[in-house]
Structures are given as structure tokens and as C-alpha cells.
Amino acid sequence: MLIHTEPGPDTVSARPPDVASLYAAHRLALVRLAVLLVDDLPSAEDVVQDAFAELARHPERLRDPGAAFGYLRTSVVNRSRSALRRRRTARGYVAPTSGDAPPADEQVVLAEEHATLLAAVRRLAPRQREVLVLRYWSGLSETEIAQACGIARGSVKSTASRALAVLERILTENGEQS
Amino acid sequence: MNDLEERLSAAFHARAEQVRPEHLVPAPSPATARRRPPVLRVAVAALAAGAVAATVAVSAGRAGSPEQAGEPPIATHGPQTEPVVKLLVQRLPADEPVSYDDAVATLSGATMTLRLAGDRWTFDVTHLDRPALTGVTVDLGRHVGYVLAVGPQGDPSIEVLVPGPGGRLVRATWSMALEGIELPTITPDPGYVGWSVWVGLDGRLHASAYRGSRVAEEVYRWTLPSAIPSGADEVELVPVAEPLEERP
């Protein structure tokens, strides 16, 4: 199993948050997390940028400086969910001729198997998707996922279980062997 | 971990690893910014016909000393700069508030004219696809999305950040009017990620460009002229002083 390694509290300074340093250290990892949640790189960059901007404006909200990455991760998860919500609304207004070309990074070919699976993931409910990404990419514990998603710990397991079941069903409907 | 979980993990990693550091908008750096002093190109065609001819003036205003130019602090830097904009969209004349989501959708592709009335800013929005929507009110006091107010509370300064390149939500070409002076349409250099225009305490309009980050990096600042030389069809403004250093 591949698990992305995220920084623990011991790798973060206990001093008040230095947003610039946090930005340099964690931006890429957070953009990668966001791109799994919102699909396209520009949106992912915006989500992460806003998360940092919020921290810069309200450093007092981070009571434990050692928890900066977790704070930002939670912010990214929440903002990604909002971005998906806004996207659904915006699609109702965008003119057909306005263009909706995929960002360049999506044109890099993924292995067909990966692409098929990620397409199925996009059909999940946002919360289900978040839980799967945090579990199978970030490698978080149920407790950490619960914190990042703002749900009860007991809901994490059931949400993941349901998400996997839905994925199985989608792949089966699409003729995939799971 | 079953087969599906293994495949899921592999797919997530394959997608995430596609995002390489070089794909991201470059992280801000004053050193990088200095390499390419940008020129703000102001299209004069959009100016009101009554504009008085004058030499383009670039006011002083140095890094770290915004007070010298009579300007308020930038919104995102400092304790006194509580985010203070709430964007409300009104369908005039029905005056029905709609959601921020609607506002984002509306602003996308729209042309805006900004006016100040008391302590409230009003956008007049021209939107080809939604002609019924003619007004957006920016209410100082809250923050939303890509619109940020600047300055101390009650200060009628406003900063509008337009993400780019790619102009995701708000088209990076727009116009504004203030106190009867119509200002030109501004087309940001696509190489800059953020763009702002605000009114300083000196009563003049200023523009800033942000590269890479909307957190703390204002890399260039210009002061817009209050008038344009007669007959000019474009005015080039050089940045005010050196690129601004990151603020505390």
C-alpha cells in the first residue's frame, strides 16, 4: 500500500505560525491533497491558497502551533467541499461558449486503470471521497480523518465502507473488474 | 487491505504525483519579482471623454511605509486588517439577496463598475447571460472568496483579488468608476496570480500585483493616474519604487 507521508507535530515548530515557512514546507502536499478532492490543479491551488490566506489573517485560531499542518489540512478539506459546491452552482450559469477545457495537468495520461478508478471516485458523495482520500492517500487514522472532516470517529469507518461499496458498484456497472 | 483498496491507493498516488512543484504557480520571492519589472498597461479607450489631460504621475510609496503615500495597510497583512467584506448580490429592483455561490457564478464573465455610497460599495454588473442581474453590493464588514476589503474598519478602501493565470472565477478584465471619474479597463499581466485595485487614504487609486501567493506577497504596486495624456491610446505605468517586501 502506498501512503503519502505527512508531517507530524514533531516536525513543526512550536513557535507561533510562520505562514511563509508553512507555505514553503507544505504547499505542495496540500495541493496534492486538494487535487484529489477537486480534480483540477487550478482549483486545488486556489483552495490551498485560501487556506493559507485564512491562517495568515487569523493566526490566533491556531492554538497549537505544532498542529499547523493538521489545521491547514482540515481547512483544505472544508474548502474543497465548498469549491465543489460552488462549481455545481456555477455550472448552472456558465455560458456554453465560455470554454471548459481541462487544465493542462489533466492531459498527462494516467494509466487507464487509475483513470477509471478516479472517475468513479468523482461520482462519490464529497464526504465519501474525502474519507477515502484521507485514508488511502494521506494514510490518516480514523481519529485524524474524523478531525479533518469534522465528523464523528464512528462515522469514518461506516462512510469508508459505504464509499467502497459504491465504488464497487460503479465499477461493476462500468464493466470493470474490481 | 483488499484489492480495491490497493488500487485506490495506487490511483490516488498516481494522480497526486502528477502535481509536480514546477507545475505550481511559482512561490513568491522578491528576488524573482525583481527580474521582470512589469508594466501596467492601461487602455485609455475606456476613459471618460472629459478626462483632463495630464502627465502620468506615479506617486511615491515605498515598501514598508504605506503611510507615506496615505494608503491603508493591505488587507492580508496585519492585525488591523480583519477581512471585512461581504459580498451580497441583489437582483434589482427586487432586492433579493442571493447566495455567494450565485455571486461567484455571476461575477464570472461579468464586467463590473464599482461605486461608493456612504460606507458601501456597489458593483454594477454587466453580464450578458444574466441581464436581470444588475447590481452587486459589497458590504464592508465581512470577507468572501476573492473579494477582500482592505484597511481599518470603516475605511472605504477595497481590494479585489482576481486569480490568474487562467482567471478562474472572476475575469481579470474589468472596469470601475469612482466619484464620477471613470477608470480604464485594466488587463492584468497573465503572469501574475493576483490583482488588486484599491482607494488609498490619499483618495487616489492604486493597483497591485501578486505573484504566487495571496498570503503575503505584494510584488508590485502602481498608482493609477487620475487623468491620461490627451490623444494617448495606452498608458504604461512603471511600478512604484522597488517591489514590496513581504510584510509582517
Side-chain angles (χ1 to χ4, degrees), chain B residues 15-191:
Chain B
R15 177 68 182 107
E17 293 298 323
Q18 282 186 311
V19 179
R20 308 299 306 168
E22 59 268 24
H23 296 157
L24 304 183
V25 175
S29 159
T32 300
R34 285 192 179 93
R35 282 205 293 269
R36 191 165 68 93
V39 173
L40 174 63
R41 297 182 184 282
V42 180
V44 177
L47 269 182
V52 179
T55 301
V56 174
V58 179
S59 74
R62 279 197 53 80
S65 58
E67 298 81 5
Q68 292 180 4
E71 300 156 358
I74 301 303
T76 53
H77 316 290
Q80 74 278 42
T81 56
E82 180 76 9
V84 286
V85 169
K86 182 177 183 180
L87 185 63
L88 302 173
V89 179
Q90 295 176 324
R91 297 171 194 274
L92 301 178
D95 203 25
E96 301 174 20
V98 298
S99 71
Y100 167 60
D101 287 350
D102 281 347
V104 170
T106 300
L107 293 180
S108 179
T111 297
M112 293 174 283
T113 301
L114 183 67
R115 290 190 177 85
L116 174 66
D119 62 349
R120 297 170 73 88
W121 291 90
T122 299
F123 286 113
D124 285 339
V125 179
T126 301
H127 197 288
L128 294 176
D129 303 315
R130 299 187 62 77
L133 186 63
T134 57
V136 180
T137 298
V138 179
D139 189 357
L140 296 180
R142 301 286 181 85
H143 155 252
V144 67
Y146 294 88
V147 182
L148 301 174
V150 243
Q153 287 187 346
D155 189 306
S157 300
I158 186 169
E159 180 177 75
V160 180
L161 297 178
V162 182
R168 261 81 83 179
L169 293 177
V170 180
R171 181 177 294 176
T173 299
W174 44 285
S175 63
M176 51 190 291
L178 178 71
E179 296 174 353
I181 301 174
E182 187 173 350
L183 290 167
T185 297
I186 299 170
T187 305
D189 183 325

